[in-house]
Amino acid sequence: MAGYVSEAVIKRLPAYYRHLKELEQEGIMQISSQGLGERMGFTASQIRQDINSFGGFGRQGYGYHVTDLRMHIGHIMGVDQKHRMIIVGSGNIGTAVALADSFPRNGFETVALFDNSERKIGSRIGELIVQDAAGLKRYLDENTVDIAVLALPANCAQEVANQLYAYGVRGFWNFAPVDLKVPADAALVNVHLDEGLQVLSYRMQQTR
Amino acid sequence: MAGYVSEAVIKRLPAYYRHLKELEQEGIMQISSQGLGERMGFTASQIRQDINSFGGFGRQGYGYHVTDLRMHIGHIMGVDQKHRMIIVGSGNIGTAVALADSFPRNGFETVALFDNSERKIGSRIGELIVQDAAGLKRYLDENTVDIAVLALPANCAQEVANQLYAYGVRGFWNFAPVDLKVPADAALVNVHLDEGLQVLSYRMQQTR
DNA sequence: TAGATTGTTAATCGATTAACAATC
DNA sequence: TAGATTGTTAATCGATTAACAATC
């Protein structure tokens, strides 16, 4: 019964995907909503509701086929496709994303890295040479790019996002501490690391 | 009317804090729930409910005093206190956190950095020298540490967390792609960067 | 077939929005 | 005082949990 998938469910999809992958690695082929719920810390009922919101992949009396379900969820999220990313900003975070091997291993490949600092342009980070941000338009004219990783200061992130949108980029992964706005035909995820730390600080007070 | 603060509100506190700081920088001293709501993309009603869940900081007919409210929220989150962090794992993420200046600027200071790789021990990252993870217990016996940043592979993150807990650490900021479990008197925030990318991938499919 | 477990409807719970009296 | 805006209660909406008939 593939209907509307709520935002709450979407945010859980990656966790389903990860746990199902772990089960595969353990050689487990089948699992019930009860079993998966115990592993993930959800109720069996929620597991069934969630999975049913995008289609009935289970079998009564049996449960779910692990690989089957994992592949379906991967397809729904689109992680069965390759994604080409550019990183704008070669500071700490830009560098970390460029060097991480987990992203390419999951199909998110960094194809270019830009900065506007004279000091950084031309330097090597992993396999990539930092390019002049002035060449962004040209690069995007000549290459397919799905996602721009924004790893730059808060005060220029929105402006750069606007430019990249104008040049055709429709996916934005923002690490700058601002809530960016992008047009409705683009997708955006904000990552606010500092906010996570603040929530941690709050929880530490409560547990005392 | 300082009652129970819901999880939903807690997750919004850092955004309130950030927006109020921006207002201060713009020299704005006062704001109504309406005005703040427009800035943050919330309804005025939600702003009032949220702020009232931890105490009546507004004045009828006037609104909220920006600095006053910002300081109250900062106090509630505990970000008016200094936090001492150690980083375990000096890979890409550990390095990025160690080098970032935004964390110390907000009171989260990295005081030591550990790794168990021969190749990395003794190398310099910013102001810090990577120490042997074998010396963690001793370091924690001799130094006060509030938060451990776990920037290590998924397969050893839980084990290291258990050890650190045994050595007295009660705050965990986890970057490994596992949902760690810590005892009830410890606080934990999981950061799953790869999950954000997967949600982005999903949204990109939808906007097409 | 009998047992297990889903898909799905109904009940509950919590979070958001609306409304308005209280009050600065 | 009159106008503005909060604090707070009530209404709505959405998400989670419970229950159970359908069915593998």
Side-chain angles (χ1 to χ4, degrees):
Chain A
M1 196 140 283
Y4 163 78
V5 182
S6 79
E7 193 64 18
V9 173
I10 290 155
K11 292 210 179 112
R12 282 193 290 270
L13 290 183
Y16 280 113
Y17 192 76
R18 172 161 50 83
H19 281 270
L20 289 164
K21 220 149 102 178
E22 282 172 22
L23 285 165
E24 276 183 297
Q25 275 154 14
E26 294 169 24
I28 296 168
M29 322 251 339
Q30 167 278 341
I31 195 158
S32 67
S33 58
Q34 170 94 84
L36 190 55
E38 272 161 25
R39 259 186 105 103
M40 299 183 66
F42 299 160
T43 63
S45 193
Q46 175 159 64
I47 301 268
R48 293 202 297 279
Q49 285 280 17
D50 283 1
I51 293 176
N52 246 62
S53 72
F54 48 78
F57 299 130
R59 287 214 325 265
Q60 276 111 326
Y62 170 84
Y64 303 92
H65 184 81
V66 171
T67 299
D68 200 49
L69 183 58
R70 200 260 307 147
M71 282 171 57
H72 273 295
I73 291 177
H75 182 71
I76 287 160
M77 295 193 297
V79 295
D80 53 352
Q81 291 161 47
K82 291 250 177 265
H83 293 268
R84 291 166 57 89
M85 309 198 294
I86 59 169
I87 301 173
V88 187
S90 64
N92 303 316
I93 295 174
T95 300
V97 173
L99 293 176
D101 60 350
S102 65
F103 305 127
R105 208 174 48 226
N106 288 298
F108 295 86
E109 192 197 356
T110 299
V111 294
L113 181 49
F114 295 86
D115 206 301
N116 63 4
S117 147
E118 281 297 337
R119 208 162 46 70
K120 287 170 173 173
I121 294 165
S123 67
R124 184 195 199 83
I125 293 179
E127 308 280 286
L128 299 166
I129 305 289
V130 178
Q131 300 183 48
D132 189 337
L136 265 170
K137 181 177 182 352
R138 181 167 180 179
Y139 184 90
L140 291 165
D141 280 346
E142 294 170 356
N143 299 274
T144 305
V145 168
D146 304 302
I147 296 169
V149 181
L150 302 175
L152 27 75
N155 57 46
C156 56
Q158 183 65 62
E159 196 188 339
V160 171
N162 294 348
Q163 273 175 17
L164 291 169
Y165 178 85
Y167 302 158
V169 178
R170 290 296 178 267
F172 296 90
W173 198 26
N174 172 47
F175 285 83
V178 282
D179 294 328
L180 296 186
K181 300 278 177 290
V182 295
D185 68 336
L188 165 73
V189 166
N190 289 305
V191 180
H192 293 328
L193 293 178
D194 52 326
E195 298 195 357
L197 254 190
Q198 291 174 8
V199 170
L200 178 59
S201 168
Y202 174 84
R203 290 190 186 154
M204 285 173 70
Q205 284 201 314
Q206 302 311 111
T207 55
R208 242 180 267 139
Chain B
M1 195 137 289
Y4 164 78
V5 183
S6 78
E7 194 64 18
V9 173
I10 290 155
K11 292 211 179 114
R12 282 192 291 269
L13 290 183
Y16 280 111
Y17 191 76
R18 173 162 50 83
H19 281 271
L20 289 165
K21 219 147 103 179
E22 282 173 20
L23 285 164
E24 275 183 297
Q25 276 154 13
E26 293 169 26
I28 296 167
M29 323 251 336
Q30 168 279 339
I31 194 155
S32 67
S33 58
Q34 171 94 81
L36 189 54
E38 272 160 23
R39 259 185 105 101
M40 298 182 67
F42 299 160
T43 62
S45 192
Q46 175 158 64
I47 301 268
R48 292 203 297 280
Q49 286 279 18
D50 282 2
I51 293 177
N52 246 62
S53 71
F54 49 79
F57 299 130
R59 287 213 327 265
Q60 275 112 327
Y62 171 84
Y64 303 91
H65 184 81
V66 171
T67 298
D68 200 49
L69 183 57
R70 201 258 308 145
M71 280 171 59
H72 273 295
I73 291 177
H75 182 71
I76 287 160
M77 295 194 297
V79 296
D80 52 353
Q81 291 160 47
K82 291 251 177 262
H83 293 268
R84 291 166 57 88
M85 307 198 295
I86 58 169
I87 302 174
V88 187
S90 65
N92 304 315
I93 295 174
T95 300
V97 173
L99 293 176
D101 60 348
S102 65
F103 305 127
R105 210 174 47 227
N106 288 298
F108 295 86
E109 192 197 356
T110 299
V111 293
L113 181 50
F114 294 86
D115 207 301
N116 62 6
S117 146
E118 281 297 335
R119 208 162 48 69
K120 288 171 173 171
I121 294 165
S123 67
R124 185 197 198 83
I125 292 178
E127 308 280 284
L128 299 166
I129 305 290
V130 179
Q131 300 182 48
D132 188 337
L136 266 170
K137 182 177 182 352
R138 182 169 179 176
Y139 184 89
L140 291 165
D141 279 344
E142 294 169 359
N143 298 274
T144 306
V145 168
D146 304 302
I147 295 170
V149 181
L150 301 176
L152 26 74
N155 57 47
C156 55
Q158 183 64 63
E159 196 189 340
V160 171
N162 295 349
Q163 274 174 18
L164 292 169
Y165 179 85
Y167 302 159
V169 178
R170 291 295 178 266
F172 295 90
W173 198 25
N174 172 48
F175 286 83
V178 282
D179 294 329
L180 296 186
K181 299 280 176 288
V182 294
D185 69 336
L188 165 73
V189 166
N190 290 305
V191 180
H192 292 328
L193 294 177
D194 53 327
E195 297 194 358
L197 255 189
Q198 291 175 8
V199 170
L200 179 59
S201 168
Y202 175 84
R203 290 191 185 151
M204 288 173 70
Q205 285 200 315
Q206 302 312 109
T207 54
R208 240 179 268 137

